Amino acid sequence: MLLTHDSVPVVDPAAADGFFNLLWLIIALPAFGAAVLLLLGNRRSTGYGHWLGTATVAGSFLLSLVAFFQLLGRDADDRQIASSLWTWFETPMVHVEFGLLYDQLSALFLLLITGVGLLIHIYSIGYMEHDPRRSRFFAYLNLFIAAMLVLVMSDNYLGVFLGWEGVGLASYLLIGFWQHKTSAAVAAKKAFVVNRVGDIGMALGTALLIAAFGSVAFSDVSHQIGDASQTTINWLGLLFLLAACGKSAQVPLQSWLLDAMEGPTPVSALIHAATMVTAGVYLVVRSNFIYENSEVAQTAVVIVAVVTLLWGAIIGCAKDDIKKALAGSTMSQIGYMMLAAGLGVAGYAFAIMHLIAHGFFKANMFLGAGSVMHAMDDDVNMRHYGALQKVIPVTFATFAMGYLAIIGFPGFSGFWSKDKIIEVAFDENTLVGLLAMLGAGITGFYMTRLMLMTFFTEKRWEKGVHPHESPKVMTWPLIILAALSVLGGVMLLGDWIVEWLEPVVGVHAHHDPKIPPVLMSVIVVAIVAVGVTIAWLTIGKKPVPRQAPTDVSLFTKAARADLGGDAFNEAVLMRPGDTLVKGLVFVDEKLIDGAVEGSAAASGAGSVMLRRLQNGYVRSYALTLLGGVVLVVLALLAVNLT
Amino acid sequence: MNDFPWLSLVLLLPILGGVIVAFLPRVPGSALPKQVALGVSLLTLLVALGIAVGFSPKGEAKQFTELHTWIGAFGAHYSLGLDGIGLVMLLLATILTPLVILASWNDAEPKANADASQPRFSVNAFFAWMLVLEGLSIGVFLATDVLLFYVLFEATLIPIYFLIGGFGGANRSRAALKFLLYNLFGGLMMLAAVVALYVYSADKGGPTYLLSELSGMDFGTNPERWMFVGFFIAFAIKAPMFPLHTWLPGAAESATPGTAVLMVSVLDKVGTFGMIRFCLELFPEASEWATPVVLTLAVISIVYGALAAIGQRNMMRLIAFTSVSHFGFIVMGIFVANSLGTSGSMLYMFNHGLSTAVLFLVAGFLISRRDSQLIEDYGGVEKVAPMMAAVFLIGGLSTLSLPGLSPFVSEFMVLAGAFAFNHWVAIASVIAIVLAALYILLMYQRMMTGPTKPATEGMADLNLREIAVVAPLVALIIGLGFFPQVLLGVINPAVERTLEHAGQTDPVPTVQADEEAAQ
């Protein structure tokens, strides 16, 4: 799968000048917001916490916009800017700088993070209005934004690691935001621990960088990668893939994402759909100079991606919880991005394009789901929904835009980005292409199922539920995100995003695709249509039972149980681990301790001392010490002097 | 002012303060002994900060040196000197002591319900012993004479023994005794080596205990190895390493939280400090010889301590086991003997002191409210005492080495240093980052989240005194997470000197090495 071995660009930024000296401010603003709100505490900042939190992100968004246009104004080969802040740490073996890298790739992420982030902050003002800890919520959101910005702006792997765990912390705090619920606390812990498994890859990968290159900076590594041994490069690729699997919920580290839906819905939209979970894709694309040089690692990325895109899609088909269905979909869509990233130079730009488009339409749908829950007294079970399209028309209309975008309805953003990925996949490997197509069909099915169960079919509401449209502060972000979901495809106008990212990810030599693009689009749309039709026939045409039917196929049962992800962890890791820990504590207290104590007590002097001291003759301690010391001194002197 | 004995001052100030506190009138309920103790410890901190300001990182190896003949016949001197490593430990001891005194304000008061945990001695004695312990620990970090080091090293047992045995919980006598037996045993091992040093140096022309004269001396392969083993066992007991760690959990459980902090955060560091100062510097060849065994034990400690921590039901024991794991990392970094790993270890010693102090002290605040060390007795604390829970979480996150908090940089340096030394060492220990997340977050989940339990209902949040205790620690943990170079700047030269002296060179990046080999 090695494509353009020679043309991998290096990271070679120019020193920041003019406006770019203020890049740090983009991170500092939300960090400041978080610090102020956390230090003041929730109670003292209740009145204005949400405004402060939103204002800092708005500031970052404006700065990101200005920076983006400044970057646009520069020559295409002069769009990498470095800004060194201070020396984080150094020893003779390595020097790690606290430095920022602003280039075409980070510029896009900055806009996505601060833009979608701002909309979600605004939405949260309404969504969290009645929560007594709203100000704390905004503190955590700001913390998240700051950490995510560090992740995509750092000019070295250790800085990425800092942001990486920073967003993990924010995710932990926000999944467990309603801590009094044990389920939320458990889900938060699970997310953190599973992510830490991925962090093994991050830690060892970064350590390997130091051992191999004596540096963790992108520029140094990209310059010297050609001199490294193939084994080193392969391991780097695999270790960073492990890290990406954790953060981006890719198989086999996917199990935390569904539980993460315990968090408030804006969190699911921002962290567990639009931004944080795409960090793994960022890492792979940013490390293109590693993956381009390792066929092994690229193949591994593709395998993980294909398995996950089907895995998530299948889970999405069986979930009755609207948020969990969307979470399965997120896994699957990130699988598409990873697939594109694993395909190398031909795919990087489309990975990023799909990432951004997904950021729009998935944030849109999660916030829409939040709006539905708002209407339904926080019920998440779609079997209790139905016929909501007239009751909450704005939510419905905006959600529908997201729906059309994700299934790839012609013209909508997802159509452009997913089509391109399937196209590139076909060029590389027919089987991969076919599986990616299959995934598109399943997407059509589960999303239609979700739409039908929520907005169409008959009313199945719980007693006493009176759905109502959400306030404007919540619907406006929906409307904007819906518009972006529709229009996201403009990124591809004149191949803009491909050319924009070329200096970062390399130039893909053009050649004729196996199947003409137009024909490919027609085939994909047809497959999606099949999925949609099956959903229409099986769900739309029949009454939806209020209780999930139990006499279902083995396949459905497996999908409901997340394809056995948790069962596997339980059987292979948790239960043996528990036994190991219990056994070890027993051994420690009874055997190891006992052995040492026993041998001490067995010796005559020991037991005398033991009894004396236990009886409280404290003074005898001094005597014992002195006596012992004198004896040993004499003995040793005697031995050595003769 | 250059000849002023600053080091003696910072060493003797707390000891004299301790004596004064001991002889203050014993008036029940009087705050005077506490206030004097706090004042003395703050004054000591000021002196230490003054020394830090006067210390020049690029200057002489040992600064502020003092040298007086002590026992001429043995070649023993009252010899003090400060290098970057000692300075960092001096700062750790002097920063933590006043905070611990403030945190322990009411821990030595006679209890209303007299039971097995009734203090055996007066309030004066408690704070006096704390100050004495501070002074002796400082002495250990400053001594540049082996016999002086040995005497101070052994002497530190006395205050800890009384602090645990006199003021601890129900099982204090047993725990104090166990602590004493273990450490005496280690002390005797070291004594044998100390005596041997005398013998061999006498052979070489004149008995001496001065580090400056001993280091670089050739003792012959076998004697060097035996002496190394003697020192190492003593240090491995002190910085509890598997399988010599079993005294620690009991001691931590039975001590007052303040005592536990001084014991684990400061005193146990003498073990790892000794490993670099004595094992590596005096016996470089034997250290290299023992490295495979030491690293194996370190890796076992790391994983074993973490696993055992997960299984604990008592929070003090749990925190103690996390330290077994972290001391494993510190030892690992010292013995991989490259600038990254060893400097990382020295930094780790400081950072571990901070994070463990936060955990022990907040645990202490909880215990002082509900009189239980059992994790299962707490639940939902976050709801009633959010600040307490937040600080506990920060301590926990720094214990699990979250990037952005100070222990991360040191743990990563050790891990990367170990990787450069031999990647299997790093790979074998890296699982600890997952286990650490488990032991910390499981404890946090059980104690702080979920519905409030009857025992935690109406629990008061941190009071002003408690905030004053934890605020500086939290500030340091966050500040040093981003600016660790402040400490590394003084640590690096000392570590480089030690490694150079031990004949250790840093590994060259493999890319460079390959290129050079090709040429």
Side-chain angles (χ1 to χ4, degrees), chain B residues 21-240:
Chain B
V21 169
F23 287 102
L24 283 174
R26 293 177 188 177
V27 184
S30 158
L32 186 66
K34 307 171 188 179
Q35 288 162 345
V36 173
L38 184 62
V40 170
S41 64
L42 285 172
L43 198 60
T44 314
L45 173 61
L46 265 183
V47 176
L49 289 175
I51 291 174
V53 170
F55 184 87
S56 75
K58 298 206 166 65
E60 294 276 310
K62 294 280 195 296
Q63 303 179 18
F64 300 97
T65 49
E66 295 172 33
L67 182 67
H68 305 282
T69 306
W70 177 23
I71 312 172
F74 289 171
H77 295 80
Y78 175 82
S79 164
L80 303 177
L82 187 73
D83 67 352
I85 300 170
L87 176 63
V88 169
M89 297 316 298
L90 170 67
L91 288 174
L92 178 65
T94 50
I95 289 171
L96 284 181
T97 307
L99 298 176
V100 163
I101 288 175
L102 194 58
S104 309
W105 211 248
N106 302 320
D107 287 358
E109 297 289 350
K111 295 198 169 83
N113 49 339
D115 59 359
S117 62
Q118 188 66 265
R120 202 173 275 169
F121 309 108
S122 68
V123 174
N124 298 43
F126 182 77
F127 290 98
W129 283 125
M130 283 209 157
L131 287 176
V132 171
L133 178 61
E134 181 189 16
L136 293 174
S137 314
I138 290 173
V140 172
F141 296 127
L142 300 181
T144 49
D145 177 282
V146 179
L147 195 67
L148 181 63
F149 174 86
Y150 170 74
V151 169
L152 291 168
F153 179 85
E154 288 288 47
T156 55
L157 299 181
I158 302 167
I160 282 277
Y161 177 79
F162 284 105
L163 282 169
I164 296 176
F167 300 90
N171 291 321
R172 58 191 179 191
S173 295
R174 195 181 144 74
L177 177 69
K178 197 160 156 184
F179 164 80
L180 196 63
L181 285 180
Y182 264 82
N183 284 280
L184 271 181
F185 172 75
L188 289 181
M189 293 288 123
M190 188 156 96
L191 179 64
V194 168
V195 173
L197 267 181
Y198 162 79
V199 173
Y200 284 100
S201 66
D203 246 17
K204 297 269 167 190
T208 180
Y209 273 122
L210 281 179
L211 265 181
S212 52
E213 291 176 8
L214 284 173
S215 78
M217 214 175 255
D218 180 19
F219 305 108
T221 306
N222 277 329
E224 186 183 327
R225 288 181 183 178
W226 280 114
M227 286 190 277
F228 170 87
V229 169
F231 276 100
F232 185 79
I233 289 180
F235 296 144
I237 288 176
K238 191 67 86 181

Side-chain angles (χ1 to χ4, degrees), chain B residues 128-468:
Chain B
W129 283 125
M130 283 209 157
L131 287 176
V132 171
L133 178 61
E134 181 189 16
L136 293 174
S137 314
I138 290 173
V140 172
F141 296 127
L142 300 181
T144 49
D145 177 282
V146 179
L147 195 67
L148 181 63
F149 174 86
Y150 170 74
V151 169
L152 291 168
F153 179 85
E154 288 288 47
T156 55
L157 299 181
I158 302 167
I160 282 277
Y161 177 79
F162 284 105
L163 282 169
I164 296 176
F167 300 90
N171 291 321
R172 58 191 179 191
S173 295
R174 195 181 144 74
L177 177 69
K178 197 160 156 184
F179 164 80
L180 196 63
L181 285 180
Y182 264 82
N183 284 280
L184 271 181
F185 172 75
L188 289 181
M189 293 288 123
M190 188 156 96
L191 179 64
V194 168
V195 173
L197 267 181
Y198 162 79
V199 173
Y200 284 100
S201 66
D203 246 17
K204 297 269 167 190
T208 180
Y209 273 122
L210 281 179
L211 265 181
S212 52
E213 291 176 8
L214 284 173
S215 78
M217 214 175 255
D218 180 19
F219 305 108
T221 306
N222 277 329
E224 186 183 327
R225 288 181 183 178
W226 280 114
M227 286 190 277
F228 170 87
V229 169
F231 276 100
F232 185 79
I233 289 180
F235 296 144
I237 288 176
K238 191 67 86 181
M241 278 186 84
F242 177 88
L244 303 173
H245 63 279
T246 54
W247 64 270
L248 181 70
E253 179 185 1
S254 302
T256 68
T259 308
V261 172
L262 289 184
M263 182 172 69
V264 177
S265 290
V266 180
L267 193 59
D268 288 357
K269 298 289 159 39
V270 173
T272 40
F273 175 82
M275 286 182 197
I276 186 165
R277 176 58 39 86
F278 295 92
C279 293
L280 224 55
E281 210 165 309
L282 287 185
F283 316 116
E285 276 158 35
S287 297
E288 215 172 331
W289 161 75
T291 295
V293 176
V294 175
L295 288 183
T296 308
L297 286 175
V299 170
I300 294 177
S301 294
I302 291 168
V303 178
Y304 185 97
L307 282 172
I310 295 172
Q312 298 305 314
R313 296 168 59 223
N314 177 309
M315 51 181 158
M316 298 296 279
R317 288 181 71 87
L318 192 154
I319 301 165
F321 271 111
T322 69
S323 293
V324 173
S325 183
H326 290 141
F327 273 112
F329 271 113
I330 297 173
V331 174
M332 185 167 99
I334 294 173
F335 277 84
V336 299
N338 54 46
S339 66
L340 191 58
T342 309
S343 287
S345 276
M346 298 302 107
L347 185 62
Y348 208 143
M349 282 163 61
F350 189 87
N351 291 332
H352 168 262
L354 300 179
S355 57
T356 306
V358 172
L359 282 185
F360 269 136
L361 292 176
V362 177
F365 299 155
L366 286 165
I367 295 164
S368 72
R369 284 164 172 73
R370 287 302 179 262
D371 206 22
S372 168
Q373 302 190 346
L374 290 183
I375 291 169
E376 66 207 31
D377 285 350
Y378 296 85
V381 172
E382 205 274 345
K383 213 168 174 190
V384 284
M387 223 188 317
M388 175 113 68
V391 176
F392 197 65
L393 185 61
I394 293 172
L397 292 171
S398 72
T399 295
L400 63 79
S401 292
L402 187 86
L405 303 179
S406 62
F408 167 71
V409 171
S410 41
E411 187 165 304
F412 178 76
M413 287 172 74
V414 169
L415 207 60
F419 194 98
F421 173 80
N422 178 333
H423 54 266
W424 290 113
V425 176
I427 291 167
S429 56
V430 75
I431 186 71
I433 70 172
V434 178
L435 300 178
L438 263 178
Y439 60 63
I440 289 298
L441 297 183
L442 259 176
M443 174 167 67
Y444 184 83
Q445 177 201 317
R446 288 173 180 160
M447 293 176 59
M448 303 297 179
T449 69
T452 40
K453 290 204 174 155
T456 45
E457 213 67 67
M459 179 183 275
D461 209 341
L462 296 182
N463 60 36
L464 272 177
R465 174 177 61 85
E466 291 163 337
I467 292 173

Side-chain angles (χ1 to χ4, degrees), chain A residues 402-442:
Chain A
Y403 162 75
L404 292 172
I406 191 175
I407 64 169
F409 193 82
F412 286 66
S413 61
F415 168 77
W416 304 107
S417 53
K418 201 189 293 177
D419 239 31
K420 279 290 176 191
I421 293 173
I422 295 174
E423 201 177 288
V424 175
F426 249 106
D427 276 352
E428 286 306 321
N429 181 313
T430 313
L431 177 64
V432 172
L434 283 173
L435 291 173
M437 268 188 184
L438 177 63
I442 305 177

Side-chain angles (χ1 to χ4, degrees), chain A residues 75-105:
Chain A
D75 289 338
D77 54 0
D78 187 27
R79 286 186 182 144
Q80 292 188 347
I81 289 137
S83 171
S84 260
L85 301 179
W86 68 85
T87 297
W88 194 359
F89 65 89
E90 68 175 338
T91 84
M93 274 172 76
V94 70
H95 172 104
V96 180
E97 191 73 12
F98 226 101
L100 305 179
L101 171 67
Y102 185 71
D103 67 355
Q104 294 89 337
L105 183 60

Side-chain angles (χ1 to χ4, degrees), chain A residues 44 86-94 98 133 136 140 158 161-163 165-166 169 172-173 179-182 185-186 188-189 192-193 196-200 202-204 206-214 216 224 227-229 232 239 577 580-582 584-585 587-589 592-593 596-597 600 606 609-611 613-614 616-618 621 624-625 628-630 632-633 636-637 640-641, chain B residues 150 154 157-158 161-162 174 177-178 180-182 184 188 191-193 195-196 198-200 242-243 245-247 249 304 307-308 310-312 317 321 338-340 343 382-383 393 397 400-404 408-409 412-413 415-417 419-420 426-427 430-431 433-434 436-438 441-442 444-445 448-451 481-485 488 492 496 506-512 514-515:
Chain A
R44 258 166 292 182
W86 68 85
T87 297
W88 194 359
F89 65 89
E90 68 175 338
T91 84
M93 274 172 76
V94 70
F98 226 101
R133 289 163 72 236
R136 174 61 56 86
Y140 291 163
L158 212 63
F161 197 3
L162 171 68
E165 292 243 354
L169 169 66
Y172 169 80
L173 294 170
Q179 291 202 336
H180 52 274
K181 276 167 53 188
T182 305
V186 171
K189 180 197 67 198
F192 196 97
V193 172
R196 275 248 148 172
V197 177
D199 291 346
I200 286 181
M202 204 70 185
L204 288 181
T206 315
L208 177 54
L209 287 176
I210 293 177
F213 304 102
V216 293
Q224 297 178 48
D227 301 330
S229 74
T232 301
L239 287 167
L580 173 67
V581 165
K582 284 197 180 116
L584 187 133
V585 170
V587 168
D588 191 71
E589 281 168 9
I592 297 184
D593 196 25
V596 181
E597 253 188 30
M609 200 156 67
L610 202 88
R611 240 176 288 135
L613 286 166
Q614 263 179 335
Y617 291 115
V618 177
Y621 150 65
T624 317
L625 176 68
V629 168
V630 169
V632 175
V633 171
L636 280 163
L637 283 176
N640 277 300
L641 290 177
Chain B
Y150 170 74
E154 288 288 47
L157 299 181
I158 302 167
Y161 177 79
F162 284 105
R174 195 181 144 74
L177 177 69
K178 197 160 156 184
L180 196 63
L181 285 180
Y182 264 82
L184 271 181
L188 289 181
L191 179 64
V195 173
Y198 162 79
V199 173
Y200 284 100
F242 177 88
H245 63 279
T246 54
W247 64 270
Y304 185 97
L307 282 172
I310 295 172
Q312 298 305 314
R317 288 181 71 87
F321 271 111
N338 54 46
S339 66
L340 191 58
S343 287
E382 205 274 345
K383 213 168 174 190
L393 185 61
L397 292 171
L400 63 79
S401 292
L402 187 86
F408 167 71
V409 171
F412 178 76
M413 287 172 74
L415 207 60
F419 194 98
I427 291 167
V430 75
I431 186 71
I433 70 172
V434 178
L438 263 178
L441 297 183
L442 259 176
Y444 184 83
Q445 177 201 317
M448 303 297 179
T449 69
F482 290 92
F483 303 97
Q485 198 60 33
L488 281 172
N492 280 340
E496 277 164 52
D506 283 346
V508 179
T510 51
V511 169
Q512 254 178 51
D514 290 349
E515 249 171 48

Side-chain angles (χ1 to χ4, degrees), chain A residues 307-633:
Chain A
V307 170
T308 309
L309 78 85
L310 291 173
W311 189 292
I314 291 169
I315 291 177
C317 294
K319 291 291 171 188
D320 293 331
D321 177 328
I322 187 170
K323 286 181 70 182
K324 293 202 170 175
L326 286 173
S329 158
T330 302
M331 269 175 67
S332 173
Q333 296 300 313
I334 298 171
Y336 276 103
M337 301 168 208
M338 285 298 264
L339 171 61
L343 293 171
V345 179
Y348 291 129
F350 304 122
I352 298 302
M353 178 174 167
H354 195 54
L355 191 156
I356 294 170
H358 176 259
F360 296 151
F361 61 65
K362 192 51 77 57
N364 171 20
M365 285 193 285
F366 260 116
L367 295 185
S371 181
V372 171
M373 287 160 57
H374 205 71
M376 304 302 285
D377 290 354
D378 284 332
D379 194 345
V380 290
N381 190 341
M382 294 191 289
R383 293 191 182 276
H384 301 162
Y385 294 172
L388 287 172
Q389 91 272 27
K390 296 243 173 65
V391 199
I392 43 174
V394 181
T395 305
F396 164 68
T398 54
F399 202 102
M401 298 302 119
Y403 162 75
L404 292 172
I406 191 175
I407 64 169
F409 193 82
F412 286 66
S413 61
F415 168 77
W416 304 107
S417 53
K418 201 189 293 177
D419 239 31
K420 279 290 176 191
I421 293 173
I422 295 174
E423 201 177 288
V424 175
F426 249 106
D427 276 352
E428 286 306 321
N429 181 313
T430 313
L431 177 64
V432 172
L434 283 173
L435 291 173
M437 268 188 184
L438 177 63
I442 305 177
T443 309
F445 173 81
Y446 71 71
M447 282 312 302
T448 310
R449 172 178 177 270
L450 190 153
M451 275 307 271
L452 290 172
M453 286 175 81
T454 304
F455 295 105
F456 299 95
T457 59
E458 71 293 345
K459 273 187 209 175
R460 302 176 301 274
W461 307 345
E462 294 276 21
K463 281 199 193 89
V465 171
H466 304 289
H468 50 90
E469 187 58 276
S470 298
K472 287 210 167 57
V473 71
M474 287 167 68
T475 49
W476 269 107
L478 288 176
I479 292 167
I480 296 171
L481 283 167
L484 290 167
S485 310
V486 178
L487 301 173
V490 298
M491 284 183 286
L492 202 61
L493 267 186
D495 263 356
W496 178 79
I497 191 161
V498 177
E499 278 167 25
W500 174 254
L501 286 174
E502 263 171 8
V504 182
V505 299
V507 183
H508 177 50
H510 270 284
H511 60 95
D512 288 332
K514 279 189 207 158
I515 305 172
V518 180
L519 179 60
M520 178 71 83
S521 295
V522 172
I523 297 173
V524 173
V525 169
I527 290 174
V528 171
V530 172
V532 172
T533 313
I534 295 175
W536 170 249
L537 292 175
T538 53
I539 290 134
K541 303 286 271 183
K542 286 187 267 181
V544 178
R546 287 198 84 241
Q547 294 293 321
T550 47
D551 54 334
V552 291
S553 67
L554 222 57
F555 186 70
T556 312
K557 277 185 188 149
R560 279 184 191 164
D562 308 345
L563 297 181
D566 281 333
F568 176 85
N569 289 347
E570 174 80 25
V572 176
L573 298 173
M574 283 152 75
R575 240 177 284 141
D578 197 42
T579 315
L580 173 67
V581 165
K582 284 197 180 116
L584 187 133
V585 170
F586 177 82
V587 168
D588 191 71
E589 281 168 9
K590 300 288 181 258
L591 294 183
I592 297 184
D593 196 25
V596 181
E597 253 188 30
S599 57
S603 70
S607 65
V608 170
M609 200 156 67
L610 202 88
R611 240 176 288 135
R612 282 262 183 99
L613 286 166
Q614 263 179 335
N615 290 341
Y617 291 115
V618 177
R619 248 168 281 132
S620 65
Y621 150 65
L623 282 175
T624 317
L625 176 68
L626 193 67
V629 168
V630 169
L631 270 176
V632 175
V633 171

